[in-house]
Amino acid sequence: MALLSVRQLSVAFPAGDRWLPAVQDVSFEIARGETLALVGESGSGKSLTAYALLGLVPRPGRIVGGAILLDDRDLLQVPEVEMQQVRGAKISLIFQEPMSALNPVLTIGSQLVEAMTVHGLGGPNPRATALDLLATVRMDDPPRRFAEYPHQLSGGLRQRALIALALSCRPALVVADEPTTALDVTIQAEILNLLRQLKLEFGLSLLLITHDLGVVAHTADRVAVMYAGRIVEQAPVRQLFRAPAHPYTQALLKAMPGSVHSTHRLESIDGQVPSLRDLPPGCAFAPRCAWQHEACVVAPPELYPVSPVHQSRCVLVRDAAGMPRA
Ligand code: ADP
Ligand code: MG
């Protein structure tokens, strides 16, 4: 059974007399100990999906449909007081910019102790537990870092401190929203390595959000690709890289430096993600798609099975399977 099962989640923002669909019918599962990467260009709805899991969709946005089952309990039916317990204790969030999540006027140590105490954890010696956590995230010199303030740490160490904080309540699921985007490349690799090791050590489930497919290859078990609020392709990581089935994923892979699909050194995808105000009536990627044909502009395609573990929201898949052409 999956730890987390998101079913047809939809999030919308009001605009005049309409609701703009920022996240549409998003469904995915994450098993215990599994890492799912949610990938897509900026504005595709990744962060809103993450916030929805934690009950933190920013106003005036609203979850307008779907279910979020954690251990078979629908978080969308859980009252806000109980959601406070779920946040941290069951699901915790790591942001792109650790400064915004760390309290600037408290030492790293006191923030860890406070987080554990709030959830009744930390044991008889919270300081020792906090020092252990700092060692767990491979912080150099834990006693020194315990006593330091966030501004005294480098970006990479701050991100480690935030990961320690995220782990302090022993969550089952960690949601990491672009956790390495603000860091330079060497530090990025270190943090991703750390997340991989922690996942194995603690049997954590991880939802790793990124706009960078390069980050995904060595970190994720499965990948869901988002475009304009919808998941357009979902597959185990090797299958996605070896045989991407959606033209958008193919374009992303081509744009990835060093990829086997890469034709140019740094080819970017022409065109832009459509505005939510004027989403095309058919496939949202059709205006940028090299394979576009008549069927694509009529209605949004379904998610078609490429294999039992691989789906693509593209009529090419259906046609390749020998079904009637629209
Ligand atoms: P991503 O994380 O993939 O870059 P987001 O989930 O942050 O994208 O946002 C997806 C889309 O939802 C945005 O492009 C925007 O159209 C809309 N959106 C997000 N936050 C707000 C907001 N506070 N008010 C209005 N629209 C928003
Ligand atoms: Mg985002």
Side-chain angles (χ1 to χ4, degrees), residues 59-82:
R59 283 168 198 280
R62 269 178 57 185
I63 294 175
V64 291
I68 298 172
L69 304 175
L70 184 73
D71 277 333
D72 270 344
R73 187 162 75 134
D74 186 357
L75 297 183
L76 298 184
Q77 308 301 327
V78 169
E80 174 53 29
V81 272
E82 275 180 62

Side-chain angles (χ1 to χ4, degrees), residues 42-43 45-48 51 96 177-178 209:
S42 175
K46 307 181 298 296
S47 292
L48 285 175
Y51 293 146
Q96 172 176 338
D177 190 1
E178 310 261 5
I209 295 177

Side-chain angles (χ1 to χ4, degrees), residues 124-147:
N125 188 348
R127 182 186 151 87
T129 314
L131 287 170
D132 279 349
L133 267 171
L134 290 175
T136 299
V137 298
R138 281 60 159 179
M139 197 75 111
D140 61 328
D141 200 351
R144 172 178 161 199
R145 303 306 179 193
F146 185 97

Side-chain angles (χ1 to χ4, degrees), residues 107-313:
T107 62
I108 300 299
S110 43
Q111 295 186 56
L112 285 171
V113 168
E114 184 182 294
M116 290 186 293
T117 315
V118 164
H119 289 275
L121 296 163
N125 188 348
R127 182 186 151 87
T129 314
L131 287 170
D132 279 349
L133 267 171
L134 290 175
T136 299
V137 298
R138 281 60 159 179
M139 197 75 111
D140 61 328
D141 200 351
R144 172 178 161 199
R145 303 306 179 193
F146 185 97
E148 283 182 335
Y149 291 87
H151 73 267
Q152 294 175 284
L153 304 181
S154 67
L157 290 182
R158 248 180 238 153
Q159 196 54 291
R160 278 175 207 269
L162 189 59
I163 294 172
L165 201 59
L167 294 178
S168 65
C169 299
R170 312 208 159 278
L173 173 69
V174 171
V175 178
D177 190 1
E178 310 261 5
T180 61
T181 302
L183 304 172
D184 72 47
V185 178
T186 350
I187 311 291
Q188 266 189 26
E190 282 176 27
I191 296 291
L192 289 173
N193 230 335
L194 175 66
L195 287 174
R196 266 197 299 279
Q197 288 167 359
L198 294 174
K199 174 197 129 171
L200 294 175
E201 263 173 63
F202 295 95
L204 283 178
S205 302
L206 189 62
L207 178 63
L208 176 69
I209 295 177
T210 176
H211 66 276
D212 180 357
L213 266 174
V215 160
V216 167
H218 303 289
T219 314
D221 301 303
R222 283 188 305 117
V223 187
V225 180
M226 277 188 89
Y227 188 80
R230 293 180 188 268
I231 290 182
V232 296
E233 182 161 10
Q234 194 167 178
V237 70
R238 284 213 190 91
Q239 254 144 301
L240 189 103
F241 278 82
R242 200 186 317 125
H246 195 284
Y248 177 59
T249 315
Q250 292 169 0
L252 279 180
L253 283 167
K254 269 191 189 168
M256 197 178 118
S259 144
V260 291
H261 301 278
S262 182
T263 47
H264 298 88
R265 256 189 340 127
L266 233 179
E267 182 188 79
S268 61
I269 309 172
D270 286 339
Q272 287 175 357
V273 180
S275 148
L276 297 180
R277 284 177 190 278
D278 40 22
L279 284 177
C283 172
F285 187 63
R288 297 167 85 182
C289 183
W291 302 92
Q292 192 209 123
H293 62 86
E294 319 86 75
C296 306
V297 294
V298 179
E302 294 165 40
L303 210 44
Y304 295 102
V306 179
S307 84
V309 292
H310 185 175
Q311 299 94 38
S312 170
R313 196 179 288 285

